[in-house]
Amino acid sequence: MDPQHRVTITDVAREAGVSVATVSKVINERYGVAAATGAKVRAVIETLGYESSLVARSLRSHHTNVIGILVADFEPFSAELLKGAAQAIRGAGYELLAYSAGGPAEELVGWERRYLSRLSGTLIDGAVLVTPTVVDAQYGTPVVAVDPHTGRSGMPTVDSDNLKGAMVATEHLLSLGHRRIGFLGGRPDLESARLREEGYRAALTAAGIPIDPELIRVGGYRPESAEEPAHALLTLPERPTAVFAANDLSAIRTMQVAQRLGLDVPGDVSVIGFDNVPESVLASPALTTIAQPIQEMGRHAVRMLLELLSGRELDMTHVTLPTELIVRQSSGPVPATVVAARG
């Protein structure tokens, strides 16, 4: 058989020497097929690698037993979340379909509505939406949102404690003696980015340090968009001795910019990120960061969705998971020259 040919139910029937109706009965476990014939058909199915299409399955039963994980783009955060989702789906009787809108969400506002309408009913029974741009729409299928743009809504949501995590990040730098701390923010349209900036500001205020607008820049959560604002921070006449970047990818790019400028990390400037994606420990130096339980967020979102698909009510419709400080080599004491100048 041509390897590019998709095996059909007709191919199975021909190979087994039975009718298409008989194969259909075996696939759907209906009565009326002799045990020996059923065993023969199943053996042919296994040999040919036949699998009924999701569309055909949904037309027969109005269910696909597939849930979707819809993301704007595949990047480290969504990749970690998918790992957790895959763990949660095991043994649940469902399959997992990962689907990307094909680009940064800020360029695709409303992507989740378009792609849910395309997939729901024929390919998936429900979906986990990762950082959706719209959360007040009726999607017509069970949906759980992870880290939605505008925060909590009537939709079930899972996020992490962005505010507390950002405060802890800033307090860590303060405990090392830093007072001039730069902040490289995330996307302005995301609630998580707003809360991380709020946590940075709150920690400085609590320490009696005035907020300097010159030290606050928008990095956009992507390395390429973080490059210019990181450079601007590190080339100020009175540059910061530490930078808190609102995600790990921006923090890693900040360290790269610092090194190109001849600055030692952490000898001249300390850097801390947020997320704890695998890239953070592989960076040079290894990145101090605030760990979001990203895989647990994926697991929790899938469990919530499975509850909805089973017809049960959720015990909690909004779940916020704790964050944790992970200290590595990118953060250190304020440079001695700065301490002496304060003298």
Side-chain angles (χ1 to χ4, degrees), residues 337-343:
T337 54
V338 174
V339 175
R342 289 176 186 164

Side-chain angles (χ1 to χ4, degrees), residues 205-233:
T205 299
I209 298 173
I211 305 298
D212 185 348
E214 190 176 46
L215 294 178
I216 299 175
R217 307 294 169 110
V218 175
Y221 279 161
R222 290 186 290 154
E224 56 270 27
S225 59
E227 174 95 21
E228 185 176 338
H231 187 275
L233 276 175

Side-chain angles (χ1 to χ4, degrees), residues 119-326:
L119 299 174
S120 61
T122 56
L123 291 178
I124 61 175
D125 294 336
V128 172
L129 305 180
V130 182
T131 61
T133 60
V134 179
V135 293
D136 58 354
Q138 296 297 314
Y139 291 109
T141 193
V143 167
V144 175
V146 176
D147 193 20
H149 277 216
T150 55
R152 295 181 177 186
S153 68
M155 180 190 299
T157 58
V158 179
D159 57 18
S160 67
D161 197 339
N162 292 287
L163 178 64
K164 179 64 175 177
M167 292 179 67
V168 169
T170 310
E171 288 165 355
H172 170 67
L173 296 174
L174 289 167
S175 72
L176 293 170
H178 297 280
R179 296 296 178 267
R180 191 161 173 78
I181 301 171
F183 179 72
L184 192 60
R187 294 210 319 262
D189 60 319
L190 267 180
E191 176 73 353
S192 63
R194 186 190 69 77
L195 289 171
R196 290 173 198 179
E197 181 174 339
E198 183 180 334
Y200 159 81
R201 289 172 175 268
L204 289 182
T205 299
I209 298 173
I211 305 298
D212 185 348
E214 190 176 46
L215 294 178
I216 299 175
R217 307 294 169 110
V218 175
Y221 279 161
R222 290 186 290 154
E224 56 270 27
S225 59
E227 174 95 21
E228 185 176 338
H231 187 275
L233 276 175
L234 296 175
T235 54
L236 286 170
E238 187 183 353
R239 61 173 173 77
T241 62
V243 175
F244 169 28
N247 76 336
D248 285 348
L249 297 185
S250 299
I252 292 169
R253 181 57 60 93
T254 299
M255 291 198 297
Q256 293 167 346
V257 170
Q259 289 159 354
R260 288 200 298 270
L261 290 170
L263 300 174
D264 179 72
V265 179
D268 296 314
V269 59
S270 289
V271 179
I272 187 169
F274 201 113
D275 280 342
N276 197 34
V277 294
E279 287 80 354
S280 64
V281 73
L282 299 174
S284 181
L287 181 68
T288 295
T289 188
I290 297 296
Q292 289 195 89
I294 305 175
Q295 290 191 24
E296 179 57 28
M297 291 165 73
R299 286 191 291 268
H300 211 103
V302 167
R303 292 186 194 120
M304 292 171 72
L305 182 60
L306 292 174
E307 288 288 302
L308 293 173
L309 289 169
S310 71
R312 294 190 288 269
E313 290 190 9
L314 296 174
D315 294 332
M316 296 178 63
T317 56
H318 303 297
V319 176
T320 297
L321 299 175
T323 53
E324 178 187 4
L325 173 66
I326 306 295

